[in-house]
Amino acid sequence: MQQLPSGEGTVCIQVPVMEQQKGTVQCTIYNEQQIPVRMIPLEGGHKKGVYTLQLHTLEAGNYTVNVQQLNLPVKLK
């Protein structure tokens, strides 16, 4: 899993294993204290496993994106 360039208030991630996934998988966003602050269902089968997460309502700071036991640290501006 990796972070791709994205606009302010959004996080674009690539999760290659999701390209082959069928059904919905839970994506959880954790704050710096590792408290879940957002849960987003991701539909499997997207081309190249690329998703843009709209996180405008979260404060700027460091977060962790978790998808299928994969963790990715991200920074919101």
Side-chain angles (χ1 to χ4, degrees):
M1 181 162 63
Q2 66 178 346
Q3 185 174 1
L4 302 174
S6 59
E8 192 170 313
T10 64
V11 171
C12 188
I13 59 172
Q14 183 176 24
V15 190
V17 297
M18 289 293 291
E19 187 174 9
Q20 309 302 321
Q21 181 74 35
K22 295 189 188 306
T24 304
V25 172
Q26 188 70 41
C27 171
T28 305
I29 312 295
Y30 295 92
N31 64 13
E32 290 183 284
Q33 292 78 34
Q34 294 304 304
I35 297 171
V37 292
R38 181 77 41 89
M39 293 184 186
I40 303 168
L42 299 180
E43 191 66 36
H46 278 248
K47 186 174 183 176
K48 298 183 182 178
V50 174
Y51 300 86
T52 300
L53 309 176
Q54 302 293 326
L55 304 174
H56 297 285
T57 58
L58 296 179
E59 294 181 15
N62 297 313
Y63 294 87
T64 300
V65 177
N66 175 277
V67 178
Q68 289 190 328
Q69 300 177 351
L70 299 171
N71 290 313
L72 177 68
V74 296
K75 183 170 186 157
L76 280 181
K77 297 180 182 180

